[in-house]
Amino acid sequence: MKVIIRNNSAEASVWAARHIADRIREKAARTSEPFILGLCTGSTPIETYAELIRMVKAGEVSFKNVISFNMDEYVGLPKAHPESYWSFMHKYLFDHIDEPAENIHILNGNAPDLDAECAAYEEAIAATGGFDLFLGGIGEDGHIAFNEPFSSLNSRTRVVTLTEDTRIVNSRFFDNDMNQVPRQALSVGVATVTGSKEVVILAFGPKKARAIRDAVEGPVSHYCTVSALQLHPDGIIVCDEAAVGEIKLNSYKYFKAVEEAEKL
Ligand code: GLP
Protein backbone atom coordinates (compact mmCIF):
# COMPACT_ATOMS: atom_id res chain seq x y z
CA MET A 1 0.00 0.00 0.00
CA LYS A 2 1.16 3.51 -0.77
CA VAL A 3 -0.05 6.60 1.06
CA ILE A 4 0.29 9.84 -0.88
CA ILE A 5 0.19 12.86 1.42
CA ARG A 6 -0.41 16.37 0.16
CA ASN A 7 -0.72 19.65 2.07
CA ASN A 8 -4.42 20.02 1.38
CA SER A 9 -7.33 18.42 -0.44
CA ALA A 10 -6.86 20.62 -3.52
CA GLU A 11 -3.31 19.36 -4.10
CA ALA A 12 -4.29 15.77 -3.28
CA SER A 13 -7.22 15.96 -5.73
CA VAL A 14 -5.00 17.23 -8.53
CA TRP A 15 -2.61 14.34 -7.86
CA ALA A 16 -5.47 11.82 -8.02
CA ALA A 17 -7.00 13.28 -11.20
CA ARG A 18 -3.68 13.36 -13.00
CA HIS A 19 -2.95 9.79 -11.90
CA ILE A 20 -6.29 8.61 -13.34
CA ALA A 21 -5.69 10.56 -16.57
CA ASP A 22 -2.19 9.05 -16.87
CA ARG A 23 -3.63 5.55 -16.54
CA ILE A 24 -6.33 6.25 -19.17
CA ARG A 25 -3.73 7.61 -21.59
CA GLU A 26 -1.27 4.77 -20.92
CA LYS A 27 -3.90 2.16 -21.77
CA ALA A 28 -5.06 4.08 -24.85
CA ALA A 29 -1.47 4.19 -26.10
CA ARG A 30 -1.11 0.40 -26.05
CA THR A 31 -4.58 -0.92 -26.93
CA SER A 32 -7.97 0.06 -28.31
CA GLU A 33 -9.65 -1.82 -25.43
CA PRO A 34 -11.75 0.48 -23.21
CA PHE A 35 -10.52 1.67 -19.83
CA ILE A 36 -12.75 0.26 -17.07
CA LEU A 37 -13.11 2.76 -14.24
CA GLY A 38 -14.85 2.47 -10.88
CA LEU A 39 -16.20 5.76 -9.51
CA CYS A 40 -17.49 7.06 -6.19
CA THR A 41 -19.68 9.82 -4.82
CA GLY A 42 -19.44 11.97 -1.68
CA SER A 43 -17.96 15.40 -1.09
CA THR A 44 -14.41 14.03 -1.22
CA PRO A 45 -14.06 13.32 -4.99
CA ILE A 46 -15.61 16.62 -6.14
CA GLU A 47 -12.28 18.41 -6.59
CA THR A 48 -10.82 15.37 -8.37
CA TYR A 49 -13.76 15.41 -10.78
CA ALA A 50 -13.31 19.16 -11.29
CA GLU A 51 -9.69 18.61 -12.32
CA LEU A 52 -10.67 15.75 -14.65
CA ILE A 53 -13.30 18.02 -16.25
CA ARG A 54 -10.66 20.72 -16.71
CA MET A 55 -8.33 18.18 -18.34
CA VAL A 56 -11.05 16.91 -20.70
CA LYS A 57 -11.95 20.48 -21.72
CA ALA A 58 -8.27 21.28 -22.27
CA GLY A 59 -7.90 18.20 -24.48
CA GLU A 60 -5.46 16.56 -22.05
CA VAL A 61 -7.51 13.38 -21.64
CA SER A 62 -10.63 11.84 -23.16
CA PHE A 63 -13.30 9.59 -21.65
CA LYS A 64 -14.62 8.49 -25.07
CA ASN A 65 -13.20 5.01 -24.53
CA VAL A 66 -13.86 4.81 -20.78
CA ILE A 67 -16.55 2.54 -19.34
CA SER A 68 -17.48 3.43 -15.78
CA PHE A 69 -19.35 1.72 -12.97
CA ASN A 70 -20.36 3.60 -9.85
CA MET A 71 -19.97 2.08 -6.43
CA ASP A 72 -23.39 2.49 -4.93
CA GLU A 73 -26.86 4.01 -4.95
CA TYR A 74 -29.60 4.55 -2.38
CA VAL A 75 -32.61 2.22 -2.50
CA GLY A 76 -35.95 3.89 -3.22
CA LEU A 77 -34.70 7.41 -3.88
CA PRO A 78 -36.05 8.62 -7.26
CA LYS A 79 -33.28 8.82 -9.88
CA ALA A 80 -33.99 12.55 -10.35
CA HIS A 81 -33.78 13.31 -6.61
CA PRO A 82 -30.94 15.82 -6.13
CA GLU A 83 -29.24 13.48 -3.62
CA SER A 84 -29.41 10.34 -5.73
CA TYR A 85 -25.95 9.23 -6.75
CA TRP A 86 -27.20 9.29 -10.36
CA SER A 87 -27.88 13.04 -9.99
CA PHE A 88 -24.60 13.62 -8.17
CA MET A 89 -22.50 11.94 -10.84
CA HIS A 90 -24.16 13.82 -13.70
CA LYS A 91 -23.86 17.15 -11.89
CA TYR A 92 -20.22 16.79 -10.88
CA LEU A 93 -18.77 14.73 -13.75
CA PHE A 94 -20.76 13.15 -16.55
CA ASP A 95 -22.52 16.30 -17.80
CA HIS A 96 -19.11 17.90 -18.40
CA ILE A 97 -16.98 15.17 -19.98
CA ASP A 98 -17.04 13.18 -23.21
CA GLU A 99 -17.89 9.75 -21.78
CA PRO A 100 -20.67 8.24 -23.96
CA ALA A 101 -23.95 7.86 -22.03
CA GLU A 102 -24.08 4.14 -22.85
CA ASN A 103 -20.72 3.63 -21.09
CA ILE A 104 -22.06 4.97 -17.77
CA HIS A 105 -23.30 2.37 -15.27
CA ILE A 106 -25.02 3.27 -12.01
CA LEU A 107 -26.94 0.78 -9.90
CA ASN A 108 -30.73 1.24 -10.08
CA GLY A 109 -32.02 1.54 -6.52
CA ASN A 110 -35.59 1.43 -7.86
CA ALA A 111 -35.26 -1.84 -9.80
CA PRO A 112 -38.23 -4.17 -9.27
CA ASP A 113 -35.87 -6.99 -8.29
CA LEU A 114 -32.92 -5.53 -6.38
CA ASP A 115 -31.05 -8.85 -6.08
CA ALA A 116 -31.29 -9.37 -9.84
CA GLU A 117 -30.08 -5.79 -10.38
CA CYS A 118 -26.98 -6.51 -8.24
CA ALA A 119 -26.25 -9.83 -9.94
CA ALA A 120 -26.57 -8.21 -13.39
CA TYR A 121 -24.17 -5.44 -12.30
CA GLU A 122 -21.50 -7.96 -11.29
CA GLU A 123 -22.02 -9.77 -14.60
CA ALA A 124 -21.69 -6.52 -16.56
CA ILE A 125 -18.45 -5.72 -14.73
CA ALA A 126 -17.09 -9.23 -15.37
CA ALA A 127 -18.03 -8.99 -19.07
CA THR A 128 -15.69 -6.01 -19.46
CA GLY A 129 -12.75 -8.04 -18.17
CA GLY A 130 -12.64 -6.17 -14.85
CA PHE A 131 -11.65 -2.79 -13.51
CA ASP A 132 -8.40 -1.10 -14.48
CA LEU A 133 -8.76 1.41 -11.65
CA PHE A 134 -11.31 1.90 -8.88
CA LEU A 135 -11.58 5.35 -7.31
CA GLY A 136 -13.18 5.37 -3.86
CA GLY A 137 -13.78 7.46 -0.79
CA ILE A 138 -14.32 6.24 2.74
CA GLY A 139 -16.82 6.81 5.50
CA GLU A 140 -15.76 8.01 8.94
CA ASP A 141 -15.81 4.39 10.12
CA GLY A 142 -13.62 3.27 7.20
CA HIS A 143 -16.43 1.90 5.07
CA ILE A 144 -15.72 1.62 1.38
CA ALA A 145 -18.68 2.15 -0.96
CA PHE A 146 -21.52 1.21 1.42
CA ASN A 147 -19.67 -1.75 2.93
CA GLU A 148 -20.39 -0.92 6.52
CA PRO A 149 -18.45 -2.46 9.43
CA PHE A 150 -18.83 -6.26 9.49
CA SER A 151 -19.39 -6.53 5.74
CA SER A 152 -17.56 -9.55 4.42
CA LEU A 153 -14.24 -8.67 2.84
CA ASN A 154 -15.29 -11.16 0.12
CA SER A 155 -18.60 -9.37 -0.50
CA ARG A 156 -19.96 -8.63 -3.97
CA THR A 157 -22.66 -6.24 -5.19
CA ARG A 158 -25.77 -6.57 -3.04
CA VAL A 159 -28.48 -4.83 -1.03
CA VAL A 160 -27.06 -3.37 2.20
CA THR A 161 -28.57 -1.82 5.30
CA LEU A 162 -27.00 1.48 6.31
CA THR A 163 -25.83 1.96 9.87
CA GLU A 164 -27.41 4.63 12.00
CA ASP A 165 -24.03 6.39 12.08
CA THR A 166 -23.89 6.58 8.29
CA ARG A 167 -27.46 7.83 8.08
CA ILE A 168 -26.65 10.53 10.64
CA VAL A 169 -23.48 11.56 8.76
CA ASN A 170 -25.32 11.61 5.41
CA SER A 171 -28.30 13.51 6.84
CA ARG A 172 -26.35 16.70 6.07
CA PHE A 173 -27.51 16.21 2.47
CA PHE A 174 -31.14 15.62 3.56
CA ASP A 175 -32.05 18.78 5.53
CA ASN A 176 -30.16 17.33 8.55
CA ASP A 177 -33.06 14.92 8.98
CA MET A 178 -31.87 11.32 9.21
CA ASN A 179 -35.41 10.10 8.64
CA GLN A 180 -35.12 11.31 5.06
CA VAL A 181 -31.95 9.24 4.49
CA PRO A 182 -32.82 5.90 2.89
CA ARG A 183 -32.27 2.87 5.13
CA GLN A 184 -30.89 0.68 2.39
CA ALA A 185 -28.57 0.98 -0.57
CA LEU A 186 -27.15 -1.11 -3.37
CA SER A 187 -23.39 -1.34 -3.11
CA VAL A 188 -20.55 -3.07 -4.85
CA GLY A 189 -18.80 -5.42 -2.45
CA VAL A 190 -15.37 -5.10 -0.91
CA ALA A 191 -14.15 -7.83 -3.28
CA THR A 192 -15.65 -5.99 -6.26
CA VAL A 193 -13.39 -3.04 -5.40
CA THR A 194 -10.28 -5.03 -4.49
CA GLY A 195 -10.70 -7.08 -7.68
CA SER A 196 -9.64 -3.97 -9.60
CA LYS A 197 -6.08 -3.93 -10.97
CA GLU A 198 -5.49 -0.70 -9.07
CA VAL A 199 -7.44 0.97 -6.25
CA VAL A 200 -7.15 4.68 -5.40
CA ILE A 201 -8.85 5.83 -2.20
CA LEU A 202 -9.30 9.50 -1.30
CA ALA A 203 -9.52 10.64 2.34
CA PHE A 204 -9.52 14.28 3.38
CA GLY A 205 -10.01 16.10 6.65
CA PRO A 206 -9.71 15.24 10.34
CA LYS A 207 -12.95 13.23 10.37
CA LYS A 208 -11.23 10.55 8.30
CA ALA A 209 -8.09 10.38 10.48
CA ARG A 210 -9.21 7.45 12.67
CA ALA A 211 -10.31 5.42 9.67
CA ILE A 212 -6.98 6.06 7.94
CA ARG A 213 -5.06 5.01 11.04
CA ASP A 214 -7.09 1.78 11.23
CA ALA A 215 -6.75 1.14 7.49
CA VAL A 216 -3.00 1.71 7.39
CA GLU A 217 -1.77 0.50 10.78
CA GLY A 218 -4.57 -1.70 12.07
CA PRO A 219 -5.26 -5.32 11.17
CA VAL A 220 -7.12 -6.37 8.03
CA SER A 221 -10.60 -6.45 9.49
CA HIS A 222 -14.25 -6.38 8.49
CA TYR A 223 -14.58 -3.73 11.20
CA CYS A 224 -12.85 -1.22 8.89
CA THR A 225 -13.59 -2.51 5.40
CA VAL A 226 -11.08 -0.27 3.60
CA SER A 227 -8.36 -2.19 5.52
CA ALA A 228 -8.85 -4.91 2.84
CA LEU A 229 -6.60 -2.71 0.74
CA GLN A 230 -3.65 -4.08 2.73
CA LEU A 231 -4.00 -7.31 0.73
CA HIS A 232 -4.05 -5.50 -2.62
CA PRO A 233 -0.83 -5.36 -4.66
CA ASP A 234 -1.62 -1.92 -6.05
CA GLY A 235 -3.52 0.12 -3.48
CA ILE A 236 -3.00 3.85 -3.02
CA ILE A 237 -4.58 6.06 -0.37
CA VAL A 238 -4.43 9.78 -1.21
CA CYS A 239 -4.71 12.02 1.85
CA ASP A 240 -4.38 15.58 2.96
CA GLU A 241 -2.36 16.33 6.11
CA ALA A 242 -5.44 16.28 8.34
CA ALA A 243 -6.43 12.75 7.31
CA VAL A 244 -3.05 11.34 8.35
CA GLY A 245 -3.18 13.15 11.68
CA GLU A 246 -3.57 9.94 13.68
CA ILE A 247 -0.94 7.70 12.07
CA LYS A 248 2.42 7.21 13.81
CA LEU A 249 5.13 9.73 13.04
CA ASN A 250 7.31 6.89 11.78
CA SER A 251 4.58 5.72 9.38
CA TYR A 252 4.15 9.28 8.15
CA LYS A 253 7.90 9.64 7.54
CA TYR A 254 8.01 6.30 5.76
CA PHE A 255 5.27 7.20 3.29
CA LYS A 256 6.82 10.63 2.67
CA ALA A 257 10.22 8.99 2.01
CA VAL A 258 8.65 6.58 -0.51
CA GLU A 259 6.98 9.51 -2.28
CA GLU A 260 10.27 11.37 -2.42
CA ALA A 261 12.24 8.34 -3.63
CA GLU A 262 9.69 7.46 -6.30
CA LYS A 263 8.87 11.10 -7.17
CA LEU A 264 5.13 10.34 -6.90
C1 GLP B 1 -21.02 7.55 1.49
C2 GLP B 1 -20.65 6.82 0.20
C3 GLP B 1 -19.18 6.47 0.19
C4 GLP B 1 -18.37 7.71 0.48
C5 GLP B 1 -18.75 8.24 1.84
C6 GLP B 1 -17.93 9.46 2.26
O1 GLP B 1 -21.11 6.67 2.56
N1 GLP B 1 -21.39 5.61 0.03
O2 GLP B 1 -18.84 5.93 -1.08
O3 GLP B 1 -17.00 7.38 0.42
O4 GLP B 1 -20.11 8.58 1.80
O5 GLP B 1 -18.48 10.64 1.82
P1 GLP B 1 -17.73 12.02 1.90
O6 GLP B 1 -16.73 12.01 0.80
O7 GLP B 1 -18.80 13.03 1.69
O8 GLP B 1 -17.08 12.11 3.23
Side-chain angles (χ1 to χ4, degrees):
M1 176 193 286
K2 282 182 180 148
V3 179
I4 304 291
I5 304 163
R6 288 291 177 271
N7 290 331
N8 51 50
S9 64
E11 288 177 23
S13 301
V14 167
W15 188 94
R18 294 191 183 168
H19 182 80
I20 294 165
D22 283 348
R23 290 288 186 261
I24 293 171
R25 287 187 298 236
E26 279 163 22
K27 187 164 184 183
R30 61 169 200 276
T31 171
S32 57
E33 294 282 306
F35 189 89
I36 314 302
L37 179 63
L39 292 172
C40 62
T41 53
S43 41
T44 309
I46 289 176
E47 289 174 286
T48 299
Y49 292 156
E51 175 65 6
L52 284 170
I53 291 166
R54 188 201 63 73
M55 293 180 88
V56 169
K57 291 195 166 152
E60 295 170 23
V61 69
S62 169
F63 278 67
K64 284 209 174 94
N65 202 22
V66 171
I67 296 179
S68 66
F69 290 83
N70 262 80
M71 285 186 147
D72 44 19
E73 179 60 283
Y74 289 113
V75 166
L77 205 61
K79 196 172 167 182
H81 188 288
E83 295 307 331
S84 78
Y85 288 168
W86 192 93
S87 297
F88 175 98
M89 287 306 300
H90 285 78
K91 178 175 175 189
Y92 289 106
L93 187 64
F94 298 141
D95 285 350
H96 314 283
I97 61 172
D98 55 353
E99 182 174 346
E102 65 271 22
N103 289 8
I104 294 169
H105 299 84
I106 301 180
L107 283 154
N108 177 5
N110 293 295
D113 182 340
L114 294 174
D115 292 334
E117 169 73 10
C118 294
Y121 207 65
E122 282 286 336
E123 278 166 28
I125 292 167
T128 66
F131 288 109
D132 290 296
L133 188 153
F134 215 125
L135 177 72
I138 55 168
E140 292 177 21
D141 55 10
H143 71 234
I144 182 163
F146 267 134
N147 293 287
E148 300 281 31
F150 311 119
S151 296
S152 165
L153 301 186
N154 277 324
S155 51
R156 292 280 168 185
T157 307
R158 67 209 184 289
V159 183
V160 295
T161 299
L162 304 185
T163 63
E164 191 169 313
D165 285 353
T166 293
R167 290 179 58 235
I168 291 170
V169 169
N170 288 6
S171 67
R172 69 191 191 281
F173 301 116
F174 292 86
D175 304 327
N176 291 313
D177 174 8
M178 74 172 279
N179 293 316
Q180 290 182 39
V181 183
R183 291 172 187 275
Q184 289 191 308
L186 304 185
S187 175
V188 296
V190 180
T192 317
V193 177
T194 55
S196 176
K197 291 188 190 77
E198 185 177 19
V199 180
V200 176
I201 298 295
L202 306 175
F204 305 150
K207 288 184 176 167
K208 304 292 168 71
R210 260 187 319 121
I212 290 301
R213 181 196 61 200
D214 292 349
V216 172
E217 296 175 338
V220 175
S221 164
H222 60 179
Y223 191 62
C224 171
T225 53
V226 69
S227 68
L229 208 59
Q230 292 178 23
L231 300 177
H232 195 282
D234 226 341
I236 304 179
I237 302 184
V238 187
C239 295
D240 62 2
E241 287 282 346
V244 289
E246 299 236 4
I247 65 172
K248 293 189 183 105
L249 183 57
N250 273 347
S251 309
Y252 178 92
K253 285 183 178 165
Y254 170 79
F255 291 122
K256 279 289 193 185
V258 171
E259 262 194 46
E260 182 54 31
E262 298 185 10
K263 299 277 174 247
L264 292 167

